[in-house]
Amino acid sequence: MKKVYSQKASTEVFALAPEQLAVFKSAGYETPTAEEVIADAGAVRLTPPEGERAYVAFDFKAGEFFVRVKTCTLRGNEYGALVGEIVKAALLKGQAERADPDRPKAAAPSEGATASPFAALLTEGLKKSLLGSLMSAAFMQTAPTAPPATPPAAGASSEEVVE
C-alpha cells in the first residue's frame, strides 16, 4: 500500500494494491478497478458479498484491515455458522495483508532456530524416534541370527515350572 492524496477525503490515505484487490474479488467482494484506485483512493469502497454477517473492511486513513461483524440475532445452531464466517473473514484479512507488495517480507529463520518451543519439542521427538528406529534396524542387520526355534511335537507334553 502506498500513501496518496485523496480529493474526496482531503487528506492522505492508503491505496490498495491491485494484488490486494484481486484477493477481495476472488472472495466475492465488489471491488473498484485499479484505475479507480489511482484516480482517488479515498473514494473507493470494498463491498462484501450479499448476506455476509462477518466481513473484512479497510481503514483508508490508518491503512489497516479489520474484521467487522454486522448486528444480528442468533437462534439455535447459528452460532457455529457465525464463528465460521468470522474465521473466514480473518483468513481473508490475512491474505490481503500478505498480498501487499510493499509489505516487508519476514526474514527466514536461521538454521536451528524454530518458530515456537512446541515446534522445537516436536522436531526433537521426531529426530529421536527416527534415530531410534534407524539404530534398531542397524542392530538387527549386524546381530548374528539365531536358528529358528523348532516347535514342540504335537504329542509332547510340556512341564510346568512352579517356584
Side-chain angles (χ1 to χ4, degrees):
M1 290 180 277
K2 298 201 184 291
K3 220 171 190 186
V4 296
Y5 183 78
S6 169
Q7 292 178 350
K8 182 175 182 178
S10 298
T11 187
E12 285 189 339
V13 297
F14 287 90
L16 292 174
E19 296 88 351
Q20 292 172 311
L21 294 173
V23 167
F24 284 109
K25 189 166 219 57
S26 68
Y29 283 66
E30 289 181 29
T31 60
T33 64
E35 292 79 22
E36 291 173 332
V37 173
I38 291 170
D40 193 359
V44 299
R45 296 286 174 245
L46 296 172
T47 307
E50 189 67 33
E52 288 288 323
R53 295 178 287 188
Y55 57 95
V56 178
F58 182 67
D59 183 356
F60 288 94
K61 291 182 182 178
E64 67 177 327
F65 292 101
F66 53 93
V67 175
R68 180 173 280 167
V69 180
K70 293 180 183 177
T71 304
C72 58
T73 302
L74 301 176
R75 292 185 179 91
N77 59 357
E78 292 179 340
Y79 300 105
L82 181 62
V83 170
E85 288 182 36
I86 293 171
V87 169
K88 180 180 161 186
L91 291 173
L92 180 64
K93 173 188 173 283
Q95 286 178 338
E97 288 171 344
R98 286 188 300 277
D100 184 7
D102 298 325
R103 179 177 179 239
K105 305 298 182 214
S110 63
E111 185 71 29
T114 57
S116 71
F118 178 71
L121 183 65
L122 184 62
T123 303
E124 190 63 32
L126 288 172
K127 285 180 184 177
K128 285 181 181 178
S129 174
L130 181 61
L131 184 60
S133 65
L134 289 176
M135 292 300 286
S136 66
F139 177 74
M140 294 302 283
Q141 289 177 353
T142 60
T145 57
T150 57
S157 65
S158 63
E159 292 183 28
E160 189 172 314
V161 179
V162 179
E163 289 185 28

